[in-house]
Amino acid sequence: MGADVKRAPIRPDWWRKTFAGAVLGATLAFALAGLFAWVGPGGIAAPEKSQFVMWSIAPVWMTVFGFVWLFRTGTHALLWLGGANLLAWGLLLYVRG
């Protein structure tokens, strides 16, 4: 490897991607867990379902947080995850209501 190898600079939108993954990823994970709790097998009152729902939040959140870096820009990440949040929370409110 020569000394003239150029590395790609750090993109300035990584803050937006981090925010999208951390905040919008968490809220999306909560909404998806809530949807599974209400619509999944046995409904909301199924025995031991609360433990599964509780423990499923972290893997879903970390998966979204990991894949957020595949978006082209931070703005795309914010828009897509924001839209997914609106859809998931809207469905959750519809199912509960």
Side-chain angles (χ1 to χ4, degrees):
M1 295 214 165
D4 48 331
V5 174
K6 292 191 176 191
R7 294 185 182 192
I10 296 175
R11 294 184 53 117
D13 64 348
W14 69 273
W15 280 105
R16 282 184 288 215
K17 289 181 182 180
T18 303
F19 176 80
V23 176
L24 296 177
T27 56
L28 183 61
F30 284 122
L32 293 176
L35 278 171
F36 180 76
W38 281 90
V39 180
I44 193 70
E48 288 100 25
K49 189 175 188 179
S50 61
Q51 285 294 313
F52 177 78
V53 170
M54 179 183 68
W55 286 101
S56 70
I57 293 171
V60 171
W61 182 16
M62 290 300 109
T63 301
V64 171
F65 201 9
F67 280 105
V68 77
W69 300 100
L70 297 178
F71 285 103
R72 186 174 300 265
T73 65
T75 305
H76 282 132
L78 287 169
L79 290 174
W80 278 98
L81 288 177
N85 266 289
L86 287 174
L87 179 66
W89 283 102
L91 282 172
L92 180 61
L93 291 174
Y94 176 75
V95 166
R96 288 186 60 196

